Structure formats: C-alpha cells, structure tokens
Amino acid sequence: MDLSDLADDVKAFYGPYNEVTLDELSSEWVDLVGSLGARWAAGARTLLPAVAGGMTRWYGFAPDPREGRLLVEEVEAWLAPPIGARARRVEASDDAVDAAALRVADDGVLLRIDVAKAWRGDARANVRSLLRVWQSAPERGMDAPRPVGRVLRDFYAALGARDRTAAQAAVDEIKSRGLLSATNVKFLRVQVIGTLGSPQEMRDDPELADIAAFRRPPAVTGHLATAADALFITPMLGGGGSAAEVAWREVAVNVESVWPGLVSHLSQVGSVSAARCLALSESLASAPRHAVHAALEAGWSADPVVAAVLDGLRSDMTAPAQATIAGLCQRGEFDAVLAVAEGLSLSEADGVPVLLAASELGDTRSAARAVALVDGMDDADRRHLLSQAVARHRYDQLVATNDGPQVPRDWHDWLTGDWPDRPDVLREWAAGWDRATVLDGDRADEMALALMDALAGEQRGRTRNGLPTLVEWLCGSDGLQPGDVELAVTVLDVILEADGGRSERRVGLRLAEEILSAGCSTSEFGDVTESLHRTLSGLGSREADWLIEMLDILLFSAVPDEEPRRELLAAAHGTAVLWLEWLTATQATLLNKLFVEAELDFPVPPLDTEDGDSRRRQRPFRRIGIYSLAESAARRARLWIEEQWPSVNITLAHDLVNSDRLESMARNCDVVVVQTSHAKHAAVTALEAAVGPDGDLLRVHGRGATSLVRALLERAADAA
C-alpha cells in the first residue's frame, strides 16, 4: 500500500512531534497504517499509532458522538489494561501530538490510549485484529440507530454527571437525526444551559432568543425563571436595603424585555424564582388576578420579594367577576378554566377557551385534561369545534404534547400500557403522580410485578430507558423514606435480576445506597446483599469501577446484620483477586484501601514504570479542594489522599449555596473535586464560576470516597 494516498491532515499528524516516521515504516506497518488511514478518509471510525517521548500511543478517531461511543466500547475490549491505560477523550491539549490529532479529528471524537512498553506488540496485534473485524463485519452504526428514548436517557445521565460535552452530543444526535421537533431541541438546550451553563449564557444564547414565545414544559420555564432571578431580581437585594424599598415594577419591565410572559400562571410556579417572576408579572397587569394573588400569598409570601410585590398590588385589586369559562380565560386564570370545565357538560363555545387555556399552560397533564374534555363532548359539537382551523391546530398540538391523547395515571399504568419511549415526557408525567397513592400497600406490589413483566416483555427497551426516572421518583428530592424501603428493595431485586447492562447496575447501585441510608430491616438487608451478590457473579473485570463503588457503599453504611455483609465482602474479594492482572493501578490502589478497611489482604500489583504510575507518590498537587454533601465520604477521601500524598493541603466544603468559603477554596486550590451525585446546583455553579484560570475542576458523579480519590489519582497519572 502506498502511504502517499493518505489525507493531508493524516500526513501532518506524522510530523516532527510524532516519532513515527512514515518513510521508515516496515511493510507490515505500512499496510496497517494505510488501511487505518483509508478508513478515516471513508468517514469510518479508526485508530492511528503515534510515539512521543519514547512512549507508544494509539489515537482513536470517530466522525460523530455515536461512532465515538462504539469506538470506546471497542477500545475497552481490545486495548484495555494491562495493554494500555484507560481510553480518555481529548478535547484540548498543550501536547503537540494531541494537538495534531485534534486537527485530524476536526469536529469528531478523539480518544487517546497510552500503551505500556512491554505491551506494544500485543497492542499492535490487537489493533490488526480489530481492523479485520471492521473489514469483515457490517457497521453497527447504520444497522441499529438508537431510539430516541435511549438518547434521552444518556442526555439526562450526562446532566446528572455535569458532563456538558456528553449532554450536547446527545442533543446534537437528536437534532441531526430529527428524533424530536425543533421546539423540543430548544427545550433540551435550555436544560443544558440551565444545569451546566450560566444565567448570562441563557440570556445571550442566539438559539434561545425567541424561547419565551413557545409554550414550555414546567422544567424549561423553571430554568428560565432561575436565570431571570439571578440576573434581575437577586442583585436588587444587595446592599443591605429592604425588599420593600426596591422599585419592583422597573425590575419587572427588565425581565419582560428579555423573556416576555415568562411566568404567567400558577401551574408554572415550582420554585421561589418562578414565584418571584409571577408576582412581578402581576405588577405589570392592568388588573391583577385575585386567584394568583391569593395563591402567592398563601404559598410564597415568606419570600421577601414576593411579599413586597404583593403588598404593592393590594390597592389595585378589584372584586373577582363571576367565574365563567370565557371570563376566566380572558383574565388568564387558565388552571381555573380546566377546573370549572371538568364540572360541566362542555359546549362548543366553551371548547375554544379550554383548548386555549391548556395550550397556554403548556404542561402534559393540562394537555391531557383538555383533550379528554373535548373528546367527551357531544359528537356533533366536537366535530363542529374541530372543523375550525385554529381549534383543530390547538387540539392536535395538545395531542402531540403527550405523543397521544392520554397520559398514564401512575407507574403501574405506564409499565403496563403502550406509551411512547420519551424519558423527557415521562419525567413530567411522574412529577404529577402522587407518591402516597402510588406507594400505598397493594398498589406498590402491583407496580413491582408490572416492572418485572415490563423488563421481560416487549416493552423492555422503553422500560430500561425509564428506570433512572423511576428510581429518582422513588427516592424523591429528600431521599428514600423509611416507609418506602420495602418497595425499593423489591425494585432493586427486579432491576438487577433482569439481565440488564451497565446502566441497570448504575441505577441499582444508587438505589442500594438510598436503601442503606434510609435504614432497612435484617431481612431487607439480606435481600439487598443477595441481589448484589447475584450481580457480582456475572461481572467481568471491565466492571471493576462498579465493584469499587459497591464496596464503598457496603463498607461504610450502617447495617442491621454483619454476616451478610461479611459474606458479600468475601465474594467481592475473591472476584477482585481473579481480576488482579487486568486492573489499572488506580483500581488496584482503591481496592487495596477498601479491603484494608474490611481486614482482608489484597496484593497490589507492581507499578509499571514505563507509563508514569511509579511517580504517583510524588505530590502532583499542592492544594486540593473537595466539595460534597456526603461529609463522611469527603472526610474519608481526605484521609486516603493524605496517605497517598502526605504533604498536600486539603480543604473540605459542604455548603448548600454559594459562599465566601466556597469561592476562596476554588481560587486557592490547584484542583477542586466536585461530587455531583451529592451536591447542590447553586454551590456547584458558584464553584465552576470561581475556579481560577490556573485551577482545575473535576466533576465526579460516582458514589463514596473512592470516586473522589479515583478522580485525583487519574488526573495525577495524566500529569505524570
């Protein structure tokens, strides 16, 4: 093969900083590099070798995020430890070879795998085998496009991990493949910026310039309201003055100029920020609404901004008019429109304001209520109503909101029915399901049985995509409640017994942690350990990180019976010993620390001096900051880090919101580790903004002390 046919950017990759010289390659290498380069020219994922400082690297190139995910799986199978270090994504680098590889990757995905000297030949042989597989097997990327539910599941997982690159990659895939409408893509972008961006970015993003003109789901409006609060409202409370002294009408005008009609009705109020925005909106109305005023006063008057704005509106209040559907709609009391209509036999005249009210409310439940009201009309009235173009358009939009005319009543209904594979819509549905009703006695048992059947039947894919939402709903914003532990144990057993993959194991691990944190009986703990033990027996060494986090949770939680814990620890120890030669140095180090706590011997393999691991004991950081609401895990991580690097200075923080302490830690530390699985959004956002230009922020979504220490060990290895 003639390497002169390689693309110019690939030839440039083999420039002066890359110690691989194309002109000096053996014929065997020429064939390999030529074939790999040809794949990239054809738009297929590939690998290319490089040498820098005498160390061999393999770079992986993929044209898009989907191909990148496939390449990660293949690299983990063919070049996993001990052959090479774990693949890491390269997005920006001062390394000259990395920079050249980034130019080849262009807008695609770039991976880097550092290969230990003793394994160079094995790595080359495995790449050659992988190339043969590529050449002989059909491409998975074209044959099995991912359903929208799977992409959305990855999107929300990325938001939870505060991984903006992965979240945006999911949005890009949805947009490029036309999986959702352009409007829904805008809504996903709002969630990305609201979770991982800044209020200023939300205001200035050109793609969101018209976002206020759309009927929005409550979660989207909530992100916009939070941004409006941060930009226009909260700054007015500085300086020590009273909220009553602020010219709130001027503030309302400023909010309205950026996001017109941002929060206009009560169903959009789910936070203090949204309540403030609604109160300000009322201050601009010619006739403030009694129902809105009363609801804000009853539920949100403890907030000084809401209280001050409401006080200024009292003189403008007039007696409420008679509650007709048309009158309520005209006054913008859209929730009341649906409530009154549900007590009447709907006429054609009232059908128009009902459809308008549901459209203005914008949420899935209001859409289903309005559709049900219209579908329940007299046949002649319904046909005549929907013969009107505007009414028909609104009706069709409301049906499309839920991908159908109805919504599931609860989890049992969702698990047993034929509903769309839309985790984004499911999150909104689940937010309206009453926990006390769904989790009551026999209904909870029915839900668990329905989950078992769904994971074993035709709806398995949709059900798997909804598992993170189910566990999030079950645990609630305040954590799993003691009364729900029995159901949670059953759900854990079903999830882990359903022959699932990595995502099920991750969800199961979170649920196990919640169960142990809430407290369980001896028999319930026995069921938990049995489920984990059964999962352990089917794992391979690629799941070492899951094993580490499971051990962390098991070791440092209060349990009602030591015997099942000892048995599971012994089984995990035996598994880890079998994996010993396949573990990375970081994994071996963490397992050693865990088994020391369990009073079990675990031999740490000798470190390979060729890949820099022998320099781990050198202090790579002077000052480390750790932010986690799991205080015991953070303290344990500090002890382990001090064992690793005795002279390092470590600061811990557990603040719920921004504070001078957080900002000081971010500015003064070389690296700040944020445990996003145990963090408050306001504090994380403040840390992200405060980290200095020379600082380093590591976002960790794992559980326990091991995830914090792992992030630092891997960053130290990268810098070695």
Side-chain angles (χ1 to χ4, degrees):
M1 179 173 288
D2 187 355
L3 295 183
S4 63
D5 293 332
L6 291 175
D8 290 341
D9 54 356
V10 175
K11 291 178 182 177
F13 173 64
Y14 291 101
Y17 297 104
N18 190 336
E19 296 168 23
V20 174
T21 304
L22 294 180
D23 293 339
E24 299 176 3
L25 292 178
S26 66
S27 59
E28 182 183 8
W29 269 106
V30 167
D31 289 341
L32 181 59
V33 173
S35 298
L36 293 171
R39 281 184 58 81
W40 185 243
R45 61 189 183 276
T46 194
L47 293 160
L48 288 173
V51 176
M55 293 296 300
T56 297
R57 307 172 182 176
W58 281 93
Y59 285 93
F61 302 86
D64 56 52
R66 172 166 174 72
E67 291 292 298
R69 286 187 291 272
L70 294 175
L71 185 59
V72 168
E73 294 177 4
E74 290 162 340
V75 164
E76 287 182 352
W78 294 92
L79 296 176
I83 294 175
R86 297 180 66 184
R88 59 186 178 89
R89 185 165 178 172
V90 181
E91 295 176 331
S93 177
D94 295 331
D95 182 276
V97 182
D98 284 353
L102 283 167
R103 288 191 288 273
V104 175
D106 195 18
D107 293 330
V109 176
L110 177 65
L111 305 176
R112 171 176 155 181
I113 308 96
D114 295 333
V115 177
K117 185 176 181 179
W119 294 89
R120 283 191 231 176
D122 297 88
R124 182 173 67 251
N126 282 5
V127 170
R128 191 180 303 280
S129 297
L130 176 57
L131 176 61
R132 284 196 292 269
V133 171
W134 280 337
Q135 292 171 335
S136 61
E139 289 293 326
R140 284 197 292 164
M142 296 301 294
D143 290 345
R146 299 198 305 165
V148 64
R150 174 62 187 275
V151 183
L152 285 168
R153 184 180 77 183
D154 289 350
F155 170 76
Y156 287 111
L159 288 187
R162 299 191 69 82
D163 185 344
R164 183 160 184 172
T165 299
Q168 189 58 51
V171 175
D172 292 342
E173 181 176 348
I174 289 170
K175 183 177 181 180
S176 64
R177 294 175 54 204
L179 297 177
L180 295 177
S181 68
T183 299
N184 280 311
V185 171
K186 279 182 181 286
F187 294 161
L188 295 179
R189 181 155 183 80
V190 169
Q191 293 181 68
V192 170
I193 297 176
T195 305
L196 306 175
S198 67
Q200 292 78 11
E201 184 183 1
M202 188 79 79
R203 178 193 61 198
D204 299 335
D205 191 298
E207 294 184 29
L208 301 179
D210 60 347
I211 190 64
F214 292 87
R215 305 294 173 237
R216 306 171 299 274
V220 173
T221 298
H223 284 300
L224 294 171
T226 299
D229 192 356
L231 290 169
F232 301 109
I233 302 174
T234 298
M236 303 303 295
L237 299 176
S242 167
E245 300 171 358
V246 176
W248 289 114
R249 186 178 176 84
E250 294 180 10
V251 176
V253 170
N254 291 335
V255 174
E256 188 73 9
S257 67
V258 177
W259 292 299
L262 174 57
V263 182
S264 57
H265 46 82
L266 289 168
S267 68
Q268 294 175 307
V269 177
S271 65
V272 171
S273 294
R276 289 176 170 182
C277 290
L278 179 56
L280 291 175
S281 176
E282 289 295 290
S283 74
L284 297 179
S286 57
R289 294 166 288 180
H290 267 269
V292 173
H293 190 285
L296 288 175
E297 191 167 47
W300 303 95
S301 58
D303 177 68
V305 174
V306 174
V309 175
L310 293 182
D311 284 343
L313 294 178
R314 294 188 193 283
S315 60
D316 298 328
M317 300 298 295
T318 57
Q322 184 178 1
T324 65
I325 289 178
L328 290 169
C329 190
Q330 188 174 10
R331 292 198 301 273
E333 298 183 28
F334 303 122
D335 300 280
V337 169
L338 297 180
V340 171
E342 286 173 330
L344 302 173
S345 177
L346 196 65
S347 67
E348 180 186 340
D350 287 337
V352 173
V354 162
L355 292 172
L356 174 60
S359 297
E360 291 292 330
L361 288 168
D363 62 279
T364 58
R365 190 156 297 278
S366 297
R369 291 169 69 190
V371 169
L373 283 168
V374 172
D375 287 348
M377 292 173 62
D378 175 80
D379 286 345
D381 286 347
R382 182 179 183 276
R383 284 196 301 271
H384 195 267
L385 171 67
L386 297 183
S387 69
Q388 304 171 41
V390 173
R392 182 80 222 189
H393 177 68
R394 287 194 175 126
Y395 178 86
D396 290 342
Q397 281 189 321
L398 294 174
V399 171
T401 298
N402 292 300
D403 271 2
Q406 298 178 321
V407 298
R409 297 182 300 274
D410 52 28
W411 278 108
H412 182 273
D413 196 11
W414 182 80
L415 289 165
T416 56
D418 185 16
W419 303 101
D421 186 6
R422 289 283 300 279
D424 56 331
V425 177
L426 175 61
R427 289 163 70 90
E428 192 175 340
W429 289 339
W433 292 337
D434 180 62
R435 292 173 53 80
T437 302
V438 175
L439 298 177
D440 180 43
D442 293 340
R443 298 195 66 183
D445 294 337
E446 291 173 359
M447 187 183 88
L449 291 173
L451 175 62
M452 185 183 305
D453 291 340
L455 285 171
E458 295 180 358
Q459 298 292 341
R460 174 178 171 80
R462 175 177 66 85
T463 305
R464 291 184 68 198
N465 294 333
L467 286 178
T469 303
L470 170 59
V471 171
E472 183 179 332
W473 179 89
L474 184 60
C475 296
S477 58
D478 297 323
L480 185 68
Q481 300 303 301
D484 302 332
V485 167
E486 182 179 0
L487 173 61
V489 171
T490 303
V491 169
L492 174 66
D493 180 64
V494 172
I495 290 174
L496 294 182
E497 193 176 19
D499 193 25
R502 186 171 298 180
S503 61
E504 283 82 1
R505 288 191 287 272
R506 300 299 306 176
V507 169
L509 202 59
R510 184 207 167 169
L511 191 53
E513 182 184 34
E514 291 281 352
I515 292 169
L516 296 182
S517 177
C520 55
S521 67
T522 299
S523 63
E524 289 168 342
F525 180 61
D527 291 340
V528 170
T529 56
E530 182 180 345
S531 297
L532 294 172
H533 198 159
R534 187 175 59 245
T535 302
L536 180 64
S537 64
L539 293 184
S541 60
R542 290 171 58 185
E543 295 301 320
D545 289 339
W546 185 90
L547 175 65
I548 289 167
E549 289 192 27
M550 185 272 285
L551 287 170
D552 195 321
I553 294 169
L554 185 68
L555 272 168
F556 303 114
S557 298
V559 299
D561 187 357
E562 286 293 334
E563 185 59 29
R565 172 155 63 183
R566 282 194 293 267
E567 292 176 359
L568 183 53
L569 287 172
H573 178 264
T575 298
V577 170
L578 292 175
W579 294 349
L580 194 59
E581 65 175 308
W582 301 104
L583 298 173
T584 66
T586 294
Q587 292 168 341
T589 298
L590 293 173
L591 285 168
N592 176 260
K593 292 183 180 299
L594 290 166
F595 287 128
V596 165
E597 297 283 348
E599 300 180 351
L600 295 169
D601 293 329
F602 185 74
V604 179
L607 299 177
D608 190 338
T609 59
E610 293 296 332
D611 63 6
D613 285 339
S614 64
R615 296 193 290 272
R616 285 183 184 271
R617 293 290 299 179
Q618 297 180 13
R619 184 180 70 173
F621 317 108
R622 292 175 299 162
R623 298 179 301 275
I624 296 173
I626 297 176
Y627 172 73
S628 173
L629 296 182
E631 297 185 29
S632 60
R635 289 193 296 269
R636 190 173 306 109
R638 178 169 61 186
L639 292 175
W640 288 350
I641 294 166
E642 288 172 344
E643 290 175 2
Q644 194 75 10
W645 303 301
S647 60
V648 76
N649 180 274
I650 303 171
T651 302
L652 304 183
H654 319 291
D655 306 57
L656 297 178
V657 296
N658 188 18
S659 65
D660 292 341
R661 171 183 168 82
L662 276 182
E663 292 185 355
S664 175
M665 181 180 77
R667 287 193 301 268
N668 296 325
C669 290
D670 305 316
V671 60
V672 176
V673 187
V674 178
Q675 191 166 34
T676 58
S677 55
H678 293 288
K680 288 294 184 181
H681 174 68
V684 175
T685 300
L687 283 170
E688 290 171 338
V691 168
D694 298 325
D696 194 3
L697 187 72
L698 302 180
R699 300 174 184 85
V700 177
H701 196 54
R703 327 201 84 75
T706 50
S707 63
L708 296 166
V709 178
R710 178 194 295 114
L712 288 165
L713 290 173
E714 291 179 348
R715 181 52 55 91
D718 290 342

